Amino acid sequence: MRVLLAGGAGYIGTHTAISLLSNGHEAVLLDDLSGTHAVAAERVEAISGKNVPLIVGDAADDDVVAAAFDDYGPFDAIIHLAAFKAVGESTQKPLDYYSNNLDTTYALLRVGLSRGIRSFVFSSTGTVYSDPADLPFTEESTTSVDLSNPYSKSKRMNEVVIEDVARVNPDVNFTVLRYFNPVGAHPSGLIGEDPAGIPNNLMPFVSRVAVGSLERVGIFGDDYDTPDGTGLRDYIHVVDLAEGHVVALEQAAAGYCVYNLGTGTPVSVKELVAAFEKAVGRELPQVILDRRPGDVAATYCDPAKAKSDFGWVAKLGIDDACRDYWNWQSQNPNGYAGA
């Protein structure tokens, strides 16, 4: 298949491009580079040994998407990863998040369907689940648009839009993938996560402490009702996650389908920090802080449906993720900007 990968130069996008190429598909990247660098696309080519075009443009612009089809199409499928994703920032910039995260979907669907795509894979989030009593979350767990932040709300709104569009396009495959905490990096160390400023997520923060650009790891709360008092999360290696996108693209049936992608085994904050210390080979300075508003004790999924329907299972664990993330960070202490 020939795939237009919107957000393709980002963290998940670059790894998904590698997975597409290694499984015999073709990928064209569309990215406005607002959260990444063009060098990420160059490194996809270096890893794969294949030509991977990068279109620098806004996936929310119909004309940009149409030009991608004119210049590099036809495309069999679109994988939509072109979203703003910082939960905290979304509460401060709600209009930016709603406009980008919804308008990209509208443009990609309008142009893609008019040009005859057969598959549309959407990157969603496990934060659309709204009832902690449902743990572990299955695809049938309670969802809501009454969520704590615009990022999560925008993802759930997108799901509603895509499901409605699917009803009037019954021959097209619309797949929604809900996942939780992507971590790790490509084992080559050439591509990885490169957040701007102070990271919002735990592993890049720990990694910045290990490389010396941040002072210490902050653990927000150690008094949760969990085995070690810290929050439990479903961390999925980005390589496994990328493979999940490709398998969903290849095997999902026509219609609207939702799948959880996760390990199903939650890892605590303290466990992740300890695994990263093992990868680095030394202890890292830590401090216990107050809980953050909105944080919950645990969130993780049951990925059984993905295994049942198309044989996907996460193969890599937290030790693998920490090893690979540290390999990336130690080779690229300043991220892509240092290339």
Side-chain angles (χ1 to χ4, degrees), residues 85-89 97 195-202 204-205 220 292:
K85 63 177 185 177
V87 171
E89 183 183 60
Y97 272 70
I198 297 176
N200 292 292
N201 296 327
L202 180 60
F205 197 103
F220 294 97
R292 291 179 298 189

Side-chain angles (χ1 to χ4, degrees), residues 57-142:
D58 187 356
D61 186 329
D62 287 48
D63 291 338
V64 169
V65 180
F69 275 80
D70 291 339
D71 296 341
Y72 295 97
F75 294 105
D76 303 292
I78 292 173
I79 297 178
H80 179 9
L81 299 159
F84 295 159
K85 63 177 185 177
V87 171
E89 183 183 60
S90 77
T91 65
Q92 302 302 313
K93 299 179 178 179
L95 281 176
D96 290 352
Y97 272 70
Y98 287 124
S99 60
N100 179 78
N101 291 4
L102 289 163
D103 288 348
T104 49
T105 300
Y106 299 153
L108 291 167
L109 284 171
R110 275 193 297 257
V111 177
L113 291 171
S114 72
R115 298 297 186 97
I117 61 164
R118 308 313 305 161
S119 295
F120 187 89
V121 177
F122 177 68
S123 167
S124 192
T125 172
T127 63
V128 300
Y129 296 119
S130 56
D131 187 352
D134 288 342
L135 285 173
F137 295 124
T138 72
E139 291 80 1
E140 304 305 317
S141 295
T142 305

Side-chain angles (χ1 to χ4, degrees), residues 2 68 78 127 164 170 196 221 261 291:
R2 189 165 179 82
I78 292 173
T127 63
D164 285 343
L261 295 184
R291 296 186 188 187

Side-chain angles (χ1 to χ4, degrees), residues 163-187:
E163 186 171 15
D164 285 343
V165 171
R167 290 193 184 98
V168 294
N169 294 275
D171 296 330
V172 178
N173 159 34
F174 297 89
T175 302
V176 168
L177 301 178
R178 294 174 179 160
Y179 41 87
F180 295 77
N181 299 83
V183 289
H186 191 269

Side-chain angles (χ1 to χ4, degrees), residues 288-300:
I288 304 297
L289 302 171
D290 292 337
R291 296 186 188 187
R292 291 179 298 189
D295 276 355
V296 296
T299 178
Y300 57 98

